[in-house]
Each structure stands twice: as structure tokens, then as C-alpha cells.
Amino acid sequence: MAGTQAVKPATPKRRNINNVAYLFIIPFVVVFCIFSLYPVIRTLYLSFTNYKGYGDAVGVGISNYVRVFQDKYFWQAFLNTCNIWIVNIVLQLGLAFLLTIVFSDMKYRIRGLSIFRAVFYLPNLISCASVSFLFKTLLDWKYGTFNQILMNMNLISQPVNWLGTPTVTPYVVSVINAWMWFGNSFIMLMAGVQGIPKDYFEAAAIDGAGRWKIFGKITLPLLKPIMIYVAITSLIGGLQMFDMPHLMSQGNAAIHDGCLNTMVMYLYKFGFTVNQVGYASAIAYVLFLIILVVSVAQFFIMNRKED
Amino acid sequence: MATKIKKTILYIVLIALAIMCIIPFLLMIVNATRDGRSIMTSFTLIPGTALKENWDKVFGYFNLFKGFWNSLVVAVPATILGAYFSALTAYALAVYKFKGSSFMFYVIVIFMMIPGQLGLIGFYNLVSSLKLINSYIPLIIPAIAAPGTVFFLRQYILSVMPMALLEAGRIDGAGELYMFHKIALPIMAPGIATMAIGGFIGNWNSYLVPLIILTKNEKFTLPVMIASLSASTDIANNQGATYLAVAISIIPILIVFCFCSKYIISSISAGSVKG
Amino acid sequence: MKLKKLTALLLAGIMALSLTACGKSDAPAEKKDETPVESSEPAADDVQEPADENNDDQTAAADLSGELVVWTLANDLISFADKFMETYPDVKVETIVIAPEDYPTKLQSALLGGETEPDIIVGEPQMLGNWYEAGFFEDLNQAPYNAQDYADQIVDYIWKIGQDENGIQRAISYQITPVAVYYRRDIAKDVFGTDDPDEVGKLFADYTTILDTGYKLKDAGYRIFASDAEPGFFSGDSAWVIDGKLNVDQDRYDYMDLVTELYNNDLTAFASQWAAPWYQAMSGPVPILTAETQWGTDEMNIWDADSFAAATEGADTAEVFAFVLPSWGVLTMRDNVGDNAGKYGVCAGPSYQYNGGTFIGISAQSERKELSWEFIKFCTLSEETADWWIEYSQGDTVSLISALEKHKDDTNEIYGGQKLYQFFLGQAEHIDFSKITKYDKAINDAWGAAITAVKQGDKSKEDAVAEFYDVVSATYPELTIER
């Protein structure tokens, strides 16, 4: 908060100083235009063609876009994605937040932050393929260890088909995804807390402010820019969810193309499996529009809260 | 007293959570020492005796150390370039007022929203027309333009950077780049370290782009090598060897991670002295 | 202002780039019509006596030199390449193995990018249609290859799959891949009183009989298959798409009923195909988990292998009777049967089908086509290579007819001394090559989803089939669908 207001050195003398910024951003802008902008513009062009991934790309106007909006399976994929993502994000951010509160608490002074932080981050280090392989084995219907444990503890009387039941499987993926990423969110939030000068907390503690008051009045407002980042990247990452549901349902078409079918999986199907690159490009742009609308809405909601 | 009990409970919960995070790792390392047959049959946390066998199998198929080296050659410069230039760009966006800065900020935010798979074919066409197939340049240079990192660091600077410090520096006659290096970078260090960890892991595990860009065995990075394990029937039979290869590939990440963790701590104490 | 100018400049540059890139991506399609300039002269010797390839190999042996790059999706071609380099020491072959799920992406991006490497490219049958159309594969009927002269040396259905829509030869496989049933001889004797492949084949004659066999086996304490996906290799009498029209034949529905009954009556061991327990079932009994049986005891330590094994010893287990796999399954079984080696037999299933096979061709953009053709001939058309491969792979089935006939009396001890080459050659003669279409992957997935929904009781058969039609029409709007 203090930072946002401080950016006002716009006296006439300073103009030449501000021009330094152009030099600073040149490397970024050049590389960005070549390696990010160009491929994306090309995709935009392809989305108006019937390009198959080879051969000629014949223009077809907006018909690919019309098709996306009429394709009920795309919208089903949209709902699936939201369904998986919402449960995931509540668990992931909720846990990360609780941990941040615990570790930034002045009274308990929990030790071992660096060790816990490293350990919580561990699941994020393993590649998604290994994690999926592991959980597929653990959660196997008739042969998985997880069901064996639950049955031994008499918690269930019949094995649960964790990865083959439309009402259960999406949430299993949510939980695994949250398990993989909560450490990451925690580190982000913690880095933000550590950026706050310690004297703020000490001063508040001397003034006799309680734990929740410190959290509400100091930590939370100062964390806001980081929180916006974490929330928006989680949203963007969530709506682009692909690896985990794709890998977890490989070999089970009913789940893969059913309750676990996310928007990017749908895009991938058309881009790489059935060779309709033009249509896949249109899906990509519709997906992008959806993310844009949702993020802007989220950004405004989070920004307004403070005022 | 009540505090102590609560504190104990908290520790128990935290340790339980930590165990949940460690178990898959242990399983992976233990499995690297077992033979494929017993891995298929049961789970155990007791190491097996097949480590030597697994090792011979992996290295009989390819030279994992070469892949290790290749991954390092890609991931280290990509991480450093990415961290440095993102910090520089973020600093420019957060500290200076210049024409187009808000436009650029919006472009960055928008590009974070574009699905990664989307530009793949265009990216390949570009690399191919630049004659950079089989070169590490298209794997390293694009790291300079990482919208997500810039966005994070901009937010980070806004929340931690005391602007008065910069004003003071200017009055002392310090150059802008000098101030970025001497004042801003140390203050941004925790944020940069956080992003660098993520960046290094991303670069180290990056699979799809290296896969399509690299076409020679001797240029393959670790993930591309490990994926080609799955195409090899000899090794697919032996789960243990695959686990071993994956376990080996994680070691450098652990090292970088430990190093960065320490760095975060030390930079914080340094920051608080200044503050 | 500066920023704007810069951006404009960059955009202009990018446009220029994108134009060159677009131009390039058309290259492979155009190229295929031209006769390759370089390749016409040096291989002239080969053209004169193409039919006698044994002779050919020997004369060529001395003067073959150069480098080749091979892209493939399994490691078998590494062995072929090593052998090739051993035979021709001046040749260097680099073989790149790419995971099958990534292979199409990688190959397409390279060839569309106009790369001249790889020289040798491969494809599985379902990938080939698109790639023929895209012009990735060199026309092998033209000089100097004249592949048509070799037509009668290769098993017919393999030869035909290697042809594009216009009958031009573009790829050849060194392998045939007829689907067969791999069954346990000891169990067959125990339950049905015979282990003769012809007799056991009758137990799999059609879906009704398969179910019957399944019940008999279950009553005797066995399971017919490890997974219910197993008989899928046999399903489908005709192509999914005929003349632009979706075609769901009666056999597909019958197969759906079969799977539903297998699933709901606990006739299989509920393993997932290609997952660990499935492999495990090849070598011995697997635990059978039903609603009634409880796992182990309370004291068992699930994390300790020994205690786990001891605790589950008393649990119900069952042995699996049969696996359905193409002829390359001989190798899968070889690696996984363990102590059951010698107890297996191979027999025919309800229909003649094939699955997979690595079809080898020359990239239309290669600059080393003559050497590439030598490599293809070496892999597919040389009896010497076929002899070596049969020996080396311990039982893979080649596509060269003369080799199959030469080895027709070879016995395979894992299968109780059965003469497999004779058997597979016989199966291959009945195969209809034309069932494959470029729509298969997506349509098979959709049909598989419908079957799962029906067998689990999530949907009625009618709803599931209606849903299937919807999915297909959303995926391929160009297909005519009659419901």
C-alpha cells in the first residue's frame, strides 16, 4: 500500500530518469515479441482456417468460433475444469494461508520454517508424470494399497474405484493437485510476509495488538499484491489444467473424455489427436477469452475489497 | 501452559503434513533399489538389493550424466537470465513512470493467460526458420521474457521496496542501473529466489519444447532421455531402473532448493538491518 | 513513441518471418511430385536386379557409406541399425527413440518445419493415413526404388497398409501383427481336458462361446482374462467410417454386451491392461478382491513386503487363463511369464485382426534417399536380416514370406514347443487390411467410453449409444451419421 503511493516522482527534472525504463525493458520486449507474440499471432491466423497440421490452410471465416460456441462438449469441459479447480484451489490456498498464519505468528514462534518449507515443497519437485504414476498405482481399484489400508481399518467394506467413478474421480484429482501445489503457494505467501519489515510486527506487538489484529491490519494489507498474484496465477493455471487429469485418466476413455475432460485436454485432442489444428486454435482463443474475463473480474473484486 | 499445548498440537499437525509430503519421495528412492518384479507386487519402505542392477540397466541404455550436463547447460543460464531480466523489467515497470508502462503491464497479464500449448507449432516454425533446431538457444533465450515472473516481481517490489531509498540514492548521484544492482536487487532477493527456484525446476523438468527442438541423442536433456526410457521395452520391464533415473534427475533440484532456501533466510536478515 | 516504433518494426519483422514459415510448411506437399534429383544416379546398379536382393546386399556391401538418421517409437530399430552398421562399417546410423505418445507431435513439427533429417521415418497403421496425405513419405514405386517389384515377397496385408489411397507404396513393415489368444495349457487341460490349440481356439469361436468359457473357468476357480479390455482386439467386422459415413456394425454392439457381462459377473481379474497387476497375472495367481473377501488381517503391516505377502496368503487368489495380444505379444509374454514359461499355448480368436506394426519409410525431404532405401531393404526384404532378427528377438514374427516359410518348423519353448511362425502366417492370410481409418483413435475412445458407461450401469445402452453419436459428430462434423 505504501509502495503504490510512493511511485510518483514525476517532477519535470525526473523525466530523463524515467526514460531509463525503456532501456531496462528492451531485452524483455525483443525476446517477448519474437518468441511469444509471433507464435500466438500465427495461432490467431490459424483459428480462421481449416488447417489440419499439414497441407494448405484454407480460410473458413469465423466458422471455427461458431462451432466452439455450439460444441456442448467444450462447455462440458469448461464445467469439468471449474469443478476440479474450485475444490483444488480452496484446499490449496486454504492450507497455504493457514500455514502462513501459523509461521508468521509472533507468539508461538514456530521453529524450523526452512525445513518445513522445503518439505512442503517436495511434492512439487517430482514431475507430474511420476506423481500420476504413483497415485495410479496407489489408488488402483482392486489392487491399490490405499483401498487395502482403508479396508483393513474397516472404513470401507468394498474397494472404491477412485479413478473410475465419475462422481469421485474429479475430486481425487483436485486433492492430488492441491497436495502438489500447496507448498508452492505457501512459499509465495511466506516470501511476501518476510518482505514486510520486522519492526512493523514488533511495533504492533509492543502496542499490544492481538494476533488476529496484526494479521488483519498489517499482514493482510501488505500481502495484497502477492495475494493477487497467487490468486490470479492459480486461476490461470487452474483453467489451463492439463497434465494431471490427462495422465491420471490415460487408458480409461470414459473418464478421460468424460468427467476429467478439461478445456486444454479438449484443445489437445483436436490439435494433436484428430488433426484439426484450425479448430484447436479457435478453442485456444475461446479459452483465452474465458480466462481473461474471469481474471479481470477477479482482479477487480480483489482490488475493491480494500477500499 | 495452554499455549504450550496448542503449540505441541500445531507441531504434530505440521509434522503429519510433512510426512505426507515425504512418503512419495521415500517410495521413489526405495523403489530405485528394488527390482521391477517386487515393485509390481508390493509397497515397502525397506530398500531392496537391486540398486547395482538398476544402475547398470540405466547406464547401459544411455549416458545419464551426459543428459545431466545438457540439462544443466540449459537450465542454469535460462534461470539466471530469466531471473535477472525479469527483475530488471519488473523494476522498470514498478519504479518508473513511462509512456506505455501500463499498456505493457496489461500485455504481460494477458500473456499469462494464454495456454502454453497454443503457440507450439508457430514456435517450431520460427525456430526452424531461424535455423536454430538442435541448438540450446531457443530453450534458453525465451526465458528472458517470462510474463509470470515479471508480474510477480512487480507486485513484490510494490509491496516491499521503500521508494525513499531510491530518492536518497539519486540525491547521492547514483546511476539508475547502479541503484538497481546495489539497492533493488538485494531487497528483491527473496522474491527473485522464489521465482528462480520455480524457474529452475520448470527449466529442469521442461519436456515438450526440448523434445521437439532437440533431434540428436547427444543433445538430449534429462527429461527427454527419461521419456525415451518408456519407449524402451527392456527398461519398461524394469520399473526399478525408471525410478532410479527419475530419482537421480531430482538430486540437482534438491541441491538448488537447499541453496536457495538458505539464501532467502540470509537476505532477510540483511534486509531487516537496512530497514 | 520509441516503444511504438520499436513494436511496429518488430511486428514487421515477425510478419516477414511468418510468411517464410508459411511458405515452408507447404514444402513437403509439393516436393512429393518431383522426382528426387540426387537419388536417381548412384543407385543405378540396384535397379537392374531388384528382385534378387540377397545378391544385391553383397555387391553393395563394399561401397555403402554415409550417415543416416532414424526416428522411431520403439527400440527395435536400434538393434536393426546396429546390425546394419556391423554389415556396412562405413555407414553411421543414428537412431532416435521417441516415446510413442509424443512421436506424432515431434515428427509433424520437424517435417512441417522443412527439416531434411530424419531420413528414415516410421509410423503405426493408424498414423499412416494422415502422413501419406501430408506427403511425408517418399514414393517408393518410382525409380530407383521400384518397390512394386518386391510385392510378392512380403505378407500381403502388410504390403497394402504401406500403400496410400492411390496404391503407391510408401512404407514397409518388417513385422506382421496378427492378433491371437495366449492361453495356459495346464488350465485348459484341467478345465476342458485338452490343450490343443485348435480345440482351445473353439472356446473363443464367438462372443457367446467366450462367455460360456468364462463361466466354466470361474466355476473352476480361474478367470478367463485379466482385464475386460482384452477381447477388444477382436471387435469390429468393418471400418468405423465407410465413404464418409459412420458405420457401427452389429459386432460392435455384441462386443459391448460381452464386456458388460464379463464385468458384471466377475469373470475377469479386474486388472487394467498394461498395468502392473496385469503383467503380474502372466506369471502367477493374483488376489481376487470381491465384496465378500476382506484383505489380510489387522496385524498386517502394509508397508512391509514380507508381512504383506504373509498376510495376504490366505486371501482368495485366482489364475488367469488367457491374454489377447498381437504377435508381438510373444515378446511381452517372454519377459513376463516367469515360471510359467512352457505352460502357454497360442490359438486363434473369434476373428482375424491385426494391431500395430512399425512401418518404415523414407522422409520425402531426406537428402540421403539411396542409403535410406538400402536401410529399408535391409530391415524388411533381406532374408539374412530376417534370420538374424528371429534369432535375436527370440520369437518376433517377420513379414518376409520366404523367412516365415523357412522357419515354419521352428518351435518356441515358452509355448510348449508350438510352431508359431506357421500359425501367424496362416492367421495373416485372412486379415482384411482396409478396416483402418484416420478416424479410429477418436471413435474408438468414444465407443470405449460408451461401453464403460454401460458396464458400470452409469447409463442405459440407448443413452450411451446416443451420447456416442453426439461425441463423434462433435469431433468430426464432416461425417454423415445415421442414428
Side-chain angles (χ1 to χ4, degrees):
Chain A
M1 201 167 49
T4 6
Q5 265 128 37
V7 203
K8 273 183 185 166
T11 47
K13 271 185 237 159
R14 291 280 144 78
R15 177 160 280 166
N16 53 349
I17 287 174
N18 283 324
N19 281 344
V20 172
Y22 293 116
L23 283 176
F24 284 10
I25 62 167
I26 280 178
F28 179 91
V29 171
V30 171
V31 174
F32 177 80
C33 289
I34 296 175
F35 287 104
S36 299
L37 201 57
Y38 163 73
V40 164
I41 290 174
R42 180 161 162 82
T43 306
L44 183 64
Y45 156 74
L46 289 178
S47 72
F48 293 103
T49 69
N50 68 351
Y51 189 56
K52 284 186 285 188
Y54 51 82
D56 296 329
V58 178
V60 291
I62 59 159
S63 67
N64 282 330
Y65 288 91
V66 174
R67 190 177 153 197
V68 180
F69 283 100
Q70 289 171 346
D71 187 341
K72 75 169 175 179
Y73 293 100
F74 174 76
W75 296 107
Q76 203 181 61
F78 172 68
L79 291 179
N80 288 339
T81 313
C82 294
N83 193 15
I84 300 171
W85 176 70
I86 288 170
V87 176
N88 167 23
I89 206 67
V90 167
L91 289 173
Q92 177 185 325
L93 286 187
L95 201 53
F97 239 109
L98 282 177
L99 289 172
T100 312
I101 295 173
V102 168
F103 278 102
S104 63
D105 195 287
M106 300 299 284
K107 195 163 138 209
Y108 289 144
R109 291 192 179 274
I110 297 285
R111 287 158 176 276
L113 168 63
S114 57
I115 294 171
F116 277 117
R117 186 174 47 194
V119 169
F120 293 156
Y121 199 72
L122 283 179
N124 210 299
L125 301 183
I126 320 178
S127 73
C128 207
S130 306
V131 171
S132 310
F133 179 74
L134 190 74
F135 277 98
K136 267 178 105 162
T137 317
L138 277 173
L139 296 175
D140 193 273
W141 182 23
K142 301 267 181 174
Y143 298 93
T145 313
F146 194 61
N147 274 336
Q148 292 166 19
I149 295 173
L150 290 184
M151 286 176 75
N152 276 331
M153 292 165 73
N154 286 322
L155 289 175
I156 51 171
S157 62
Q158 284 190 31
V160 178
N161 193 355
W162 296 106
L163 299 176
T165 317
T167 47
V168 174
T169 311
Y171 307 110
V172 173
V173 172
S174 304
V175 171
I176 296 173
N177 231 9
W179 170 79
M180 240 184 122
W181 287 96
F182 82 92
N184 188 62
S185 302
F186 170 54
I187 284 193
M188 299 277 179
L189 291 176
M190 218 44 218
V193 168
Q194 291 181 327
I196 301 170
K198 272 209 175 104
D199 2 353
Y200 285 23
F201 293 113
E202 273 153 21
I206 289 165
D207 291 349
R211 178 183 313 142
W212 293 106
K213 197 160 185 189
I214 293 180
F215 183 75
K217 295 280 172 187
I218 300 176
T219 319
L220 213 53
L222 286 175
L223 266 184
K224 209 188 71 180
I226 302 295
M227 274 162 46
I228 292 183
Y229 172 82
V230 172
I232 289 194
T233 47
S234 309
L235 173 85
I236 293 169
L239 290 178
Q240 293 180 17
M241 195 171 344
F242 172 69
D243 295 16
M244 180 65 74
H246 177 68
L247 292 167
M248 292 297 282
S249 58
Q250 241 169 18
N252 185 342
I255 296 293
H256 189 273
D257 296 343
C259 62
L260 279 196
N261 188 21
T262 66
M263 288 186 284
V264 175
M265 280 165 73
Y266 202 63
L267 184 164
Y268 189 84
K269 170 181 170 179
F270 283 96
F272 296 98
T273 311
V274 303
N275 288 299
Q276 299 179 17
V277 176
Y279 185 52
S281 306
I283 293 178
Y285 269 91
V286 173
L287 172 59
F288 161 61
L289 282 180
I290 291 172
I291 297 177
L292 185 66
V293 168
V294 180
S295 320
V296 168
Q298 189 190 26
F299 187 80
F300 277 113
I301 290 169
M302 290 191 68
N303 244 8
R304 207 182 42 191
K305 225 176 175 177
E306 182 208 20
D307 299 331
Chain B
M1 205 45 212
T3 316
K4 217 168 190 184
I5 293 170
K6 275 189 199 159
K7 206 169 159 180
T8 316
I9 294 173
L10 274 180
Y11 272 116
I12 290 172
V13 171
L14 288 174
I15 288 168
L17 202 59
I19 289 173
M20 264 170 56
C21 294
I22 291 177
I23 277 184
F25 253 89
L26 284 181
L27 277 178
M28 189 176 67
I29 291 164
V30 167
N31 280 347
T33 67
R34 303 169 71 205
D35 65 279
R37 188 103 249 119
S38 59
I39 292 173
M40 284 183 175
T41 331
S42 64
F43 274 98
T44 178
L45 289 177
I46 301 162
T49 51
L51 180 62
K52 175 86 178 64
E53 212 176 287
N54 291 340
W55 182 276
D56 291 345
K57 243 181 198 162
V58 172
F59 283 87
Y61 187 62
F62 50 41
N63 186 353
L64 212 57
F65 290 127
K66 179 73 181 156
F68 222 93
W69 174 249
N70 291 342
S71 283
L72 224 49
V73 168
V74 171
V76 170
T79 309
I80 293 172
L81 287 177
Y84 179 78
F85 283 104
S86 299
L88 189 63
T89 313
Y91 179 77
L93 282 174
V95 171
Y96 302 107
K97 247 185 124 57
F98 62 99
K99 224 177 182 178
S101 71
S102 56
F103 170 75
M104 195 171 149
F105 178 67
Y106 288 125
V107 170
I108 283 173
V109 173
I110 284 172
F111 265 78
M112 286 167 58
M113 300 171 190
I114 292 182
Q117 289 83 352
L118 156 81
L120 202 62
I121 289 180
F123 182 76
Y124 188 90
N125 280 341
L126 175 78
V127 171
S128 165
S129 40
L130 293 175
K131 297 273 168 249
L132 288 176
I133 293 299
N134 235 348
S135 145
Y136 290 146
I137 291 173
L139 304 180
I140 296 172
I141 297 300
I144 290 174
T149 312
V150 173
F151 181 58
F152 174 84
L153 290 176
R154 177 190 177 271
Q155 302 295 91
Y156 192 81
I157 295 168
L158 288 182
S159 63
V160 302
M161 178 78 102
M163 295 296 164
L165 223 54
L166 298 177
E167 288 295 319
R170 285 196 187 107
I171 290 164
D172 291 349
E176 297 298 315
L177 200 59
Y178 179 86
M179 283 201 300
F180 170 70
H181 286 141
K182 293 290 162 179
I183 300 173
L185 273 187
I187 292 178
M188 290 160 72
I192 296 178
T194 308
M195 282 289 114
I197 296 170
F200 183 82
I201 293 168
N203 286 314
W204 185 265
N205 286 336
S206 166
Y207 171 59
L208 197 57
V209 175
L211 175 81
I212 63 163
I213 299 293
L214 304 176
T215 61
K216 294 277 180 194
N217 280 334
E218 80 256 15
K219 289 252 180 181
F220 278 1
T221 56
L222 218 45
V224 182
M225 274 191 178
I226 290 176
S228 73
L229 270 178
S230 74
S232 147
T233 43
D234 287 346
I235 293 199
N237 283 338
N238 194 334
Q239 306 267 1
T242 314
Y243 275 111
L244 181 65
V246 175
I248 293 174
S249 77
I250 287 177
I251 292 169
I253 296 188
L254 285 178
I255 294 171
V256 169
F257 188 73
C258 294
F259 170 75
C260 279
S261 281
K262 265 188 193 153
Y263 182 68
I264 295 175
I265 309 285
S266 59
S267 70
I268 295 224
S269 39
S272 64
V273 172
K274 249 180 227 141
Chain C
M1 271 339 267
K2 257 188 201 163
L3 184 74
K4 262 187 192 157
K5 262 187 200 160
L6 193 71
T7 332
L9 208 74
L10 277 165
L11 278 175
I14 285 157
M15 293 303 176
L17 277 174
S18 69
L19 284 177
T20 45
C22 292
K24 268 215 164 141
S25 62
D26 297 331
E30 288 161 22
K31 236 181 181 170
K32 71 175 171 189
D33 300 327
E34 302 163 17
T35 27
V37 190
E38 318 100 288
S39 54
S40 35
E41 330 122 53
D45 301 33
D46 301 350
V47 190
Q48 270 136 32
E49 30 180 13
D52 190 359
E53 91 295 331
N54 267 335
N55 228 343
D56 210 21
D57 281 348
Q58 266 132 36
T59 46
D63 45 287
L64 277 191
S65 66
E67 279 180 39
L68 272 187
V69 176
V70 178
W71 282 11
T72 179
L73 28 66
N75 61 348
D76 45 5
L77 282 189
I78 294 183
S79 311
F80 278 101
D82 288 346
K83 184 74 184 166
F84 190 64
M85 288 191 278
E86 201 184 302
T87 318
Y88 305 107
D90 291 339
V91 179
K92 194 181 168 305
V93 183
E94 188 180 5
T95 312
I96 316 259
V97 182
I98 299 145
E101 60 274 21
D102 301 313
Y103 182 78
T105 314
K106 183 164 169 97
L107 185 74
Q108 285 173 16
S109 38
L111 294 182
L112 295 173
E115 296 297 313
T116 57
E117 281 180 5
D119 303 289
I120 298 281
I121 55 179
V122 306
E124 293 186 334
Q126 72 280 7
M127 304 170 181
L128 293 171
N130 282 324
W131 293 349
Y132 293 157
E133 203 181 315
F136 288 173
F137 284 92
E138 176 80 352
D139 173 355
L140 298 180
N141 278 357
Q142 61 191 346
Y145 326 113
N146 296 316
Q148 64 275 24
D149 296 344
Y150 302 90
D152 51 356
Q153 298 187 23
I154 296 282
V155 171
D156 190 55
Y157 93 92
I158 290 288
W159 194 253
K160 295 275 172 52
I161 293 172
Q163 294 176 350
D164 67 12
E165 289 174 333
N166 306 317
I168 294 170
Q169 201 67 36
R170 300 203 175 264
I172 308 171
S173 164
Y174 67 84
Q175 235 183 356
I176 57 172
T177 57
V179 178
V181 178
Y182 298 71
Y183 65 92
R184 285 274 296 274
R185 286 174 182 270
D186 51 335
I187 298 177
K189 261 206 179 118
D190 177 24
V191 182
F192 305 103
T194 173
D195 68 347
D196 180 62
D198 291 336
E199 291 303 313
V200 177
K202 287 178 191 159
L203 299 170
F204 294 94
D206 53 56
Y207 294 160
T208 332
T209 320
I210 289 179
L211 279 175
D212 221 43
T213 310
Y215 283 117
K216 279 186 190 139
L217 285 161
K218 194 189 171 193
D219 291 343
Y222 301 104
R223 293 292 184 276
I224 181 168
F225 299 126
S227 78
D228 58 22
E230 219 87 350
F233 280 119
F234 289 118
S235 78
D237 279 340
S238 46
W240 274 119
V241 176
I242 296 171
D243 298 330
K245 216 175 109 188
L246 180 66
N247 166 49
V248 188
D249 59 48
Q250 186 53 41
D251 187 72
R252 309 269 185 198
Y253 292 107
D254 294 345
Y255 172 65
M256 182 186 261
D257 296 339
L258 170 72
V259 172
T260 309
E261 197 161 344
L262 284 174
Y263 179 90
N264 284 310
N265 293 292
D266 288 346
L267 295 182
T268 71
F270 293 101
S272 308
Q273 219 176 3
W274 315 115
W278 184 78
Y279 287 109
Q280 206 186 319
M282 292 177 179
S283 63
V286 286
I288 294 295
L289 206 58
T290 57
E292 296 82 42
T293 50
Q294 271 280 355
W295 259 88
T297 60
D298 288 342
E299 302 94 62
M300 74 180 267
N301 175 7
I302 208 122
W303 299 106
D304 174 19
D306 292 333
S307 126
F308 180 79
T312 51
E313 215 162 41
D316 279 3
T317 60
E319 303 226 37
V320 168
F321 178 56
F323 292 83
V324 179
L325 285 168
S327 57
W328 43 261
V330 170
L331 311 182
T332 314
M333 302 290 286
R334 173 196 78 198
D335 295 335
N336 290 288
V337 291
D339 294 340
N340 279 341
K343 289 187 192 163
Y344 277 92
V346 182
C347 68
S351 60
Y352 297 104
Q353 307 276 2
Y354 69 95
N355 189 280
T358 307
F359 286 77
I360 315 171
I362 304 174
S363 161
Q365 288 156 223
S366 164
E367 287 168 351
R368 297 179 288 227
K369 286 177 181 149
E370 328 81 79
L371 190 57
S372 303
W373 174 238
E374 290 303 326
F375 182 75
I376 293 180
K377 278 201 301 184
F378 177 85
C379 295
T380 59
L381 293 163
S382 149
E383 205 175 295
E384 233 171 280
T385 313
D387 286 344
W388 159 78
W389 179 246
I390 282 174
E391 164 99 35
Y392 181 85
S393 69
Q394 304 171 32
D396 200 11
T397 318
V398 297
S399 61
L400 193 66
I401 295 172
S402 59
L404 285 176
E405 273 170 357
K406 187 168 154 192
H407 291 269
K408 71 179 198 285
D409 290 326
D410 286 12
T411 55
N412 192 325
E413 288 317 314
I414 293 173
Y415 306 94
Q418 210 175 328
K419 293 171 183 170
L420 293 182
Y421 296 114
Q422 205 174 354
F423 169 78
F424 283 123
L425 182 58
Q427 293 286 302
E429 279 163 6
H430 299 280
I431 287 173
D432 172 7
F433 71 92
S434 65
K435 276 184 217 161
I436 227 146
T437 72
K438 61 181 174 186
Y439 306 103
D440 286 5
K441 168 88 176 81
I443 298 182
N444 274 327
D445 282 353
W447 189 245
I451 291 176
T452 308
V454 172
K455 78 175 182 190
Q456 294 188 351
D458 298 337
K459 284 196 187 102
S460 73
K461 199 172 163 184
E462 271 164 26
D463 289 350
V465 172
E467 174 90 6
F468 163 76
Y469 283 127
D470 284 352
V471 172
V472 174
S473 90
T475 312
Y476 297 111
E478 71 268 27
L479 292 182
T480 323
I481 295 173
E482 277 172 21
R483 300 179 184 228

